[in-house]
Amino acid sequence: GLGMHSPPPGILRVPAGHQVDSGNESKTRSTLRQFVRDWAREGEPDRQCSYEPLLKALEQYVPLPSGKNSFGECEQPRVLTPGSGLGRLPFEVARRGYFA
């Protein structure tokens, strides 16, 4: 359950005869799959297969600078991650020190 933050009784009950649009059902399933892949413990093997090679290539071909620029600042390489689902890939990129 939702613990102490449970909604009032009956609020989550689906009305009799309610039909879910197949497009909404498909989007919901897709979003739940992405959530599991990107953020759940169960998605770790998928993340290792798909994200790790990208992250290793990023670190190899676009290494983080070790020094500072003429203004005394460290410039982080900017990384664009279009179509990155629920954001795990940009999160991992930023965690490694890049600007994502």
Side-chain angles (χ1 to χ4, degrees), residues 14-22 24-25:
V14 177
H18 179 75
Q19 296 286 320
V20 175
D21 180 76
S22 63
N24 290 340
E25 182 179 355

Side-chain angles (χ1 to χ4, degrees), residues 52-97:
E52 265 320 297
L54 293 170
L55 294 166
K56 285 182 182 190
L58 177 65
E59 291 171 337
Q60 179 181 352
Y61 295 108
V62 187
L64 290 169
S66 57
K68 298 183 182 220
N69 64 17
S70 59
F71 300 107
E73 303 166 335
C74 288
E75 290 188 29
Q76 298 169 291
R78 294 174 181 262
V79 179
L80 180 64
T81 55
S84 56
L86 298 178
R88 184 62 183 248
L89 183 57
F91 172 79
E92 293 295 338
V93 168
R95 234 175 75 175
R96 284 165 170 76

